[in-house]
């Protein structure tokens, strides 16, 4: 039986996972511009026609790979939060530890992030996938920060704005780790994020208060 015949007999979810793995391998090796449908097909051992049967083109396939990768990361982060103590500060600490775990800092995963980010402004399907995944990611952070504000009795605290700030910090650390993993250790990455929250608790939350009479 040929590779393509075996592929066609797989469960639809397994076929999708196989194509996504092939897409990630090509993105790592060739980058977004160089990862053509033909190269992805060769990596997966299937024909161009078979991929075209499932996807409208490379952009849609890469967008689905993006959502699959972010979905796996999001599941790990949610699981870490759910296992943590009920107070918001401990849930944030669990989120940070999971963010700098070996699974999330996997070099192949970080290479995929770099390729995805490089394609966000050049392909609408990938841009939409980015907006969807980051909206979900910031919502997780905003939810925990809202709980922290309630526990600390912060009136008028803009958790959405604070979540943008914290997610930007995490993105910058992930990017730096992807470019040069020797810059800081995972423990130091957690330390930096903990310092951000310490600053919030020490009075930095004033920077995220909504203007009086504002929205």
């Amino acid at each position: 039986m040929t590779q393509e015949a075996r592929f066609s007999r797989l469960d639809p979810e397994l076929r999708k996972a196989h194509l996504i793995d092939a897409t990630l391998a090509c993105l790592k090796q060739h980058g977004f511009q160089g990862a053509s449908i033909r190269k992805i097909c060769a990596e997966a051992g299937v024909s161009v026609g078979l991929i075209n049967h499932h996807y409208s083109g490379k952009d849609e396939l890469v967008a689905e790979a993006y959502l699959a990768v972010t979905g796996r990361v999001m599941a790990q982060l949610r699981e870490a939060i759910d296992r943590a103590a009920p107070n918001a500060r401990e849930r944030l600490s669990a989120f940070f530890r999971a963010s700098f775990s070996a699974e999330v800092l996997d070099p192949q995963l970080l290479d995929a992030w770099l390729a995805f980010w490089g394609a966000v402004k050049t392909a609408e399907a990938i841009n939409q996938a980015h907006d969807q995944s980051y909206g979900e990611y910031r919502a997780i952070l905003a939810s925990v920060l809202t709980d922290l504000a309630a526990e600390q009795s912060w009136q008028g605290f803009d958790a959405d704005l604070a979540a943008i700030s914290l997610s930007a910090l995490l993105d910058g650390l992930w990017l730096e780790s992807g470019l040069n993993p020797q810059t800081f250790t995972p423990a130091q990455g957690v330390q930096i994020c903990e310092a951000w929250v310490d600053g919030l608790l020490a009075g930095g939350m004033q920077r995220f208060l909504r203007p009086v009479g504002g929205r």
Side-chain angles (χ1 to χ4, degrees):
M1 184 183 297
T2 66
Q3 169 75 6
E4 186 156 338
R6 286 193 293 269
F7 179 87
S8 297
R9 294 182 62 177
L10 290 174
D11 175 85
E13 288 304 311
L14 290 176
R15 285 203 300 269
K16 182 186 297 185
H18 186 66
L19 285 177
I20 286 171
D21 286 344
T23 302
L24 293 176
C26 285
L27 287 172
K28 178 181 180 181
Q29 184 176 357
H30 305 290
F32 176 72
Q33 297 299 333
S36 66
I37 282 290
R38 290 192 178 279
K39 288 176 181 175
I40 294 171
C41 289
E43 180 70 29
V46 300
S47 68
V48 173
L50 191 145
I51 286 189
N52 288 338
H53 175 73
H54 293 280
Y55 301 96
S56 63
K58 183 181 79 171
D59 290 356
E60 184 181 343
L61 177 55
V62 172
E64 183 153 327
Y66 191 170
L67 290 175
V69 168
T70 56
R72 290 200 295 265
V73 171
M74 230 82 77
Q76 292 177 20
L77 297 176
R78 283 200 187 91
E79 184 180 350
I81 288 174
D82 291 343
R83 289 198 310 262
N87 69 79
R89 186 66 181 85
E90 287 299 322
R91 294 205 301 278
L92 280 170
S93 293
F95 185 97
F96 299 148
R97 290 192 296 272
S99 296
F100 294 95
S101 65
E103 294 82 4
V104 175
L105 292 182
D106 182 333
Q108 183 171 354
L109 180 58
L110 289 169
D111 286 342
W113 284 124
L114 294 176
F116 290 142
W117 287 338
V120 162
K121 293 303 181 184
T122 62
E124 181 58 27
I126 300 170
N127 189 36
Q128 290 177 2
H130 171 81
D131 286 347
Q132 177 183 332
S133 63
Y134 267 76
E136 184 180 354
Y137 179 75
R138 286 194 300 269
I140 295 173
L141 284 174
S143 176
V144 185
L145 289 167
T146 295
D147 292 342
L148 181 66
E151 292 173 5
Q152 298 293 323
S153 300
W154 294 341
Q155 299 299 316
F157 181 73
D158 190 340
D160 291 329
L161 183 60
I164 292 171
S165 170
L166 184 52
S167 68
L169 172 62
L170 283 157
D171 282 349
L173 291 169
W174 283 338
L175 178 60
E176 183 59 38
S177 180
L179 294 173
N180 183 3
Q182 305 305 315
T183 304
F184 61 90
T185 67
Q188 288 171 329
V190 173
Q191 180 182 349
I192 292 168
C193 293
E194 295 285 9
W196 184 93
V197 182
D198 288 345
L200 205 65
L201 293 166
M205 46 75 60
Q206 296 284 341
R207 297 291 185 178
F208 295 106
L209 296 182
R210 297 183 182 89
V212 177
R215 300 177 58 184

